[in-house]
Amino acid sequence: MAATFRRRLQRGAASTAVAALVLAALTASQAPGATGAAAVKRRPAPPPADVPIDGGSAYYTDLPPLKSPVPPHGSPHTGKGPATGRGPAEAGLPATVLAAYKKAATTIDASDPGCRLPWQLLAGIGKVESGQARGGAVDAEGTTLRPILGPQLNGHGFARITDTDAGRYDGDLTHDRAVGPMQFIPSTWSNGGPDGTGWGADGNGDGKKDPHNVFDAALAAGRYLCAGDRDLTAQDDLDRAILGYNHSDEYLRTVLSWYAFYRNGTHEVPDGKGVLPVHRDAGRSGDANGGRSEGKRHHGRGPGAEPGKGPRPGSSDKPSKSSKPGKGQQHHPGKPGRPDGTRPTPGGTQPPTQKPTPSPEPAHPTTLVRVGDKDLTATAGAEFATPPQVRAQDAQGKAVAGVPVRFTLPPTTDARFPGDATAVTVTTDKDGLATAPTLRAGDRTGDFRIRVSTVRHTAPAVEVGATVKAKPAPKADKLARTSDKELTATAGKAFAEDAVEIKATYQGELAAGVAVTATMVTNDPQRPVENDKGPYFKDPEATGHDGDKPVRTLTGLTTDANGLLKLPKIYTDAHSGTFLLRLTTADGAVLTVKLKVAAPAGS
């Protein structure tokens, strides 16, 4: 209760000087920031910055139509209800873009419920910054089909930011440009966030932070808007968050207009079919407070209007009578064109327009269900006989087709999908089934879990267990010498280099990787044991004097890819006679080799 009371005091104090706080944020830090001592309770406040999130880039100035869409079912205040309303074409949001906004809001609501981020706010910013990723021109994973780049931030009408990313995101080696559907500047995406880590985020779970991906960009934007312990149901916090994106009262007003419009209802349209905005602002004048050039449209706002004093969600967007557009201005604030691009006719009459035909509401998966109860198994280096598979279904248990599903391998395994991929995305078929491509086990044995999640929707992820077992030991049922030449040496001397070479086979086929043990044994056919005299090996790993000590049993010998094995050099002591070398495998294959040692001449 104490914490709640303290926050109410802070909010009450802020409401008495909203303009002062917003102006302080603009002139002192140039970024959303100081919200009091409580600002560090949930996450660090963003550090001071010379430029806003989008670098002060140009943005779309189109305003929503006066006719609001049909309100959706659910609370218009919280935005928790499904977006099922119908209305003007501008109310249609591309499917993947809409899914990205909702997924970002759901993710942030789970980690930061005090922020109360509505997805419609992300939609308002996305509309103004990129026209909803150019009307939803994205692929199945949410990545734009071609890069969305802002103007070069070279100080001419915009902020001046020399290249910070070596052209990685914007392809520009001299200056930065705002990039992606939410128009982040590269320096802010990579290292402009809390603790210098950057605001970049991985919103679709593919292990990458890509500003050109609408899921990643929406999550990053949402986290930025919630920074500094903001509660976005408080108007002063909401204003500061938007102004931190672009330091302009006109920008604030435009975003709030779209935010209010989307809260009244939206509907889903296919990707690439969103309404593209037309009008853009004229760019920044370069003053410290982020004011626009004189030729810029003000949407009915006077040039001396205070930042943060834009319309509140749900208020009227009509301009005052004294607010007149400049000569040649194409866009009339508060009186936007129709969805089909026509203008009202003189005299106040308007030509009839045909209402857009609502498209069938697509089904959304609420659950992913793994197919099969048993975990997947494979031996090291082999393919899994059964690929990972899940089924997408709705709340009634019916299959949902056309759902992009991502299969992601953990870093604890070296198993891979085709192309050495650690993550793949497939689309559910007519039966709602998503089947991953062939999965091949690596050399690393043990258990791991495959994470399966939807790309566009918020259905809970599921896991598929998998186990990689060690390869069975290679077998050999026969050992034989590759030469029948007699093996002889003189006492005190060594046999010829690589004198003994053997070949291992299993059922007549060469056996690679077979473990062989070599032992100098006594000449006792009933019970051969390790000999204590005669031929011997030297320990290959011993050094110094220990390296000359006789070793009469060697283990760890294995046949090569051709089933062949050359034994190390064999030495002799002062004893002469015929000695036996016994070669064995774990499968019972045995080969006995005779070694003849002659006495030195004249002994």
Side-chain angles (χ1 to χ4, degrees):
M1 178 64 72
T4 302
F5 180 70
R6 180 165 56 252
R7 184 159 183 79
R8 286 175 180 171
L9 284 177
Q10 293 169 349
R11 193 173 302 148
S15 65
T16 63
V18 173
L21 286 174
V22 174
L23 286 172
L26 292 176
T27 59
S29 69
Q30 291 292 291
T35 56
V40 296
K41 287 184 178 180
R42 285 202 302 273
R43 63 162 65 81
D50 294 330
V51 292
I53 282 292
D54 67 1
S57 295
Y59 58 87
Y60 287 107
T61 60
D62 298 41
L63 292 175
L66 295 179
K67 179 181 178 182
S68 297
V70 178
H73 302 295
S75 171
H77 176 73
T78 62
K80 298 294 185 180
T84 56
R86 296 292 180 207
E90 286 87 345
L93 293 176
T96 299
V97 177
L98 175 60
Y101 297 150
K102 289 184 175 181
K103 189 167 187 176
T106 300
T107 300
I108 292 174
D109 185 59
S111 62
D112 188 6
C115 177
R116 298 178 176 87
L117 170 69
W119 65 261
Q120 292 92 338
L121 178 58
L122 295 174
I125 291 176
K127 177 71 173 183
V128 170
E129 292 289 349
S130 69
Q132 311 299 12
R134 291 200 190 100
V138 296
D139 62 18
E141 297 184 18
T143 302
T144 56
L145 300 180
R146 58 188 178 91
I148 299 176
L149 302 177
Q152 191 179 63
L153 300 176
N154 54 16
H156 300 300
F158 306 103
R160 176 179 172 80
I161 309 176
T162 56
D163 179 54
T164 63
D165 65 336
R168 175 185 178 188
Y169 297 123
D170 56 12
D172 194 322
L173 297 177
T174 59
H175 294 82
D176 274 352
R177 298 170 182 261
V179 297
M182 303 303 278
Q183 290 289 278
F184 275 83
I185 53 176
S187 55
T188 302
W189 182 267
S190 300
N191 53 30
D195 304 321
T197 56
W199 290 104
D202 177 13
N204 61 354
D206 64 355
K208 298 182 293 184
K209 298 178 180 180
D210 182 4
H212 296 286
N213 182 279
V214 69
F215 288 94
D216 295 356
L219 181 58
R223 288 176 175 170
Y224 177 82
L225 294 169
C226 287
D229 198 36
R230 293 193 186 99
D231 178 354
L232 297 181
T233 60
Q235 192 64 50
D236 54 334
D237 279 1
L238 178 64
D239 289 352
R240 277 193 212 97
I242 299 172
L243 287 169
Y245 226 101
N246 191 304
H247 298 166
S248 162
D249 58 324
E250 293 91 2
Y251 179 88
L252 171 65
R253 183 172 184 262
T254 306
V255 170
L256 288 174
S257 296
W258 282 106
Y259 171 43
F261 178 76
Y262 288 138
R263 281 164 65 96
N264 285 328
T266 60
H267 60 274
E268 182 178 298
V269 298
D271 289 344
K273 300 298 183 180
V275 174
L276 293 175
V278 176
H279 304 291
R280 295 187 74 88
D281 73 328
R284 301 181 72 82
S285 63
D287 63 297
N289 289 333
R292 298 290 168 176
S293 60
E294 293 182 2
K296 179 182 176 296
R297 289 171 296 276
H298 282 274
H299 298 298
R301 302 292 309 282
E306 292 182 87
K309 292 297 184 178
R312 299 298 182 246
S315 65
S316 173
D317 242 354
K318 296 182 179 179
S320 63
K321 294 181 180 180
S322 62
S323 177
K324 297 181 180 181
K327 184 177 181 180
Q329 184 171 322
Q330 298 296 317
H331 181 69
H332 297 271
K335 296 183 179 180
R338 297 181 175 281
D340 59 3
T342 62
R343 302 294 308 161
T345 57
T349 60
Q350 299 178 354
T353 57
Q354 184 177 359
K355 294 183 178 180
T357 302
S359 56
E361 190 70 20
H364 296 285
T366 58
T367 308
L368 290 179
V369 180
R370 55 173 294 187
V371 177
D373 297 330
K374 296 182 179 180
D375 286 350
L376 312 178
T377 59
T379 57
E383 293 180 353
F384 284 83
T386 303
Q389 188 179 57
V390 297
R391 182 176 185 266
Q393 59 188 38
D394 60 17
Q396 287 72 43
K398 295 181 179 179
V400 181
V403 179
V405 175
R406 177 174 290 276
F407 295 81
T408 305
L409 300 173
T412 55
T413 181
D414 58 354
R416 293 292 183 268
F417 292 112
D420 203 33
T422 58
V424 294
T425 300
V426 298
T427 303
T428 56
D429 61 18
K430 61 182 180 61
D431 298 317
L433 296 176
T435 305
T438 301
L439 178 62
R440 177 176 290 276
D443 295 328
R444 194 178 304 171
T445 60
D447 301 331
F448 63 92
R449 312 290 292 179
I450 305 169
R451 187 175 186 273
V452 189
S453 59
T454 57
V455 174
R456 295 182 180 177
H457 307 286
T458 57
V462 298
E463 290 185 340
V464 177
T467 301
V468 178
K469 299 180 179 179
K471 293 180 181 179
K475 296 181 179 181
D477 55 15
K478 184 178 180 180
L479 297 175
R481 284 186 63 197
T482 58
S483 171
D484 56 2
K485 183 178 179 180
E486 188 178 61
L487 300 174
T488 61
T490 302
K493 305 292 183 179
F495 286 84
E497 291 278 357
D498 302 331
V500 181
E501 183 182 60
I502 64 171
K503 175 177 66 176
T505 57
Y506 180 71
Q507 296 180 353
E509 299 292 334
L510 294 174
V514 175
V516 177
T517 299
T519 306
M520 301 295 179
V521 298
T522 58
N523 193 6
D524 183 352
Q526 300 299 322
R527 190 181 179 187
V529 295
E530 184 179 275
N531 209 337
D532 59 357
K533 59 185 178 181
Y536 63 90
F537 304 103
K538 290 182 179 180
D539 188 347
E541 298 181 358
T543 59
H545 293 295
D546 291 338
D548 293 329
K549 288 183 179 180
V551 174
R552 291 188 167 88
T553 299
L554 283 182
T555 59
L557 304 172
T558 57
T559 58
D560 63 17
N562 297 316
L564 301 177
L565 170 63
K566 291 183 179 180
L567 269 61
K569 191 173 184 179
I570 300 174
Y571 301 85
T572 66
D573 57 14
H575 298 84
S576 59
T578 299
F579 299 89
L580 299 180
L581 169 61
R582 183 182 174 90
L583 303 164
T584 61
T585 70
D587 300 303
V590 177
L591 173 65
T592 301
V593 179
K594 290 183 179 182
L595 302 175
K596 293 185 178 181
V597 180
S603 60

